[in-house]
Amino acid sequence: MQRVVLVGFMCAGKSAVGALLARALGWQAVDLDARVEAAAGMPVREIFAAHGEAEFRRLEREATAEVAGRAAVVVSTGGGWAADERNWARLGPGSFCVWLRISAEEAVRRAAGTPGQRPLLAGPEPLARARELLARREPLYARAHARVEAAAGPAEEVAEVVERLVRARLAPAGR
Ligand code: S3P
């Protein structure tokens, strides 16, 4: 295994868990949304507003292509990353994918703490929208090798659970 890829719905803590996990492993943390923002020179919500979702997805694929073959990295994806087959196809061998699972209710509760950050939940009925998106995406997140409950505890605890999974796979066979 050369890299960990965290997938899952909005507000599952992919960025926070990715940063903690990378630090624990001594690997580099790569946040795809942050890379897209740096490439575009504006926050995600402005990319959506000014250029549309399709342009955001194009930048997301580009950012994926840049990091998908790197070693010793923990890649935190955005919630829609898993919905594009081209992103999965880009991942190099040795990618260990972990789904940080969260309910639509918890995602919307968390998103309310950072209003305006998530354009896809910005409409009048965020919970209905989140349920609909999550229902469509869960089968895609389920392609990950492992699933961890993201809301079971704080990011530190979730990162520890993922770290244990990673270390078990890094350990030489038979030990
Ligand atoms: C998106 C999730 C966001 C961000 C963009 C689109 C999605 O990332 O990539 O707003 O389609 O679910 P987070 O999962 O970090 O919120």
Side-chain angles (χ1 to χ4, degrees), residues 8-12 14-15 31 33 44-45 48 53 56-57 60 77-81 117-120 133 137 141:
F9 201 54
M10 289 174 264
C11 304
K14 302 179 293 292
S15 302
D31 187 291
D33 276 354
V44 168
R45 65 173 186 281
F48 270 71
E53 180 172 353
F56 172 80
R57 298 298 172 201
E60 189 176 47
T77 65
W81 181 94
Q117 296 294 305
R118 295 194 166 71
L120 292 180
L133 274 175
R137 290 177 175 175
Y141 299 144

Side-chain angles (χ1 to χ4, degrees), residues 101-125:
R101 208 199 70 85
I102 190 171
S103 68
E105 289 73 15
E106 178 65 11
V108 167
R109 203 183 62 74
R110 290 184 177 190
T114 52
Q117 296 294 305
R118 295 194 166 71
L120 292 180
L121 297 182
E125 295 201 56

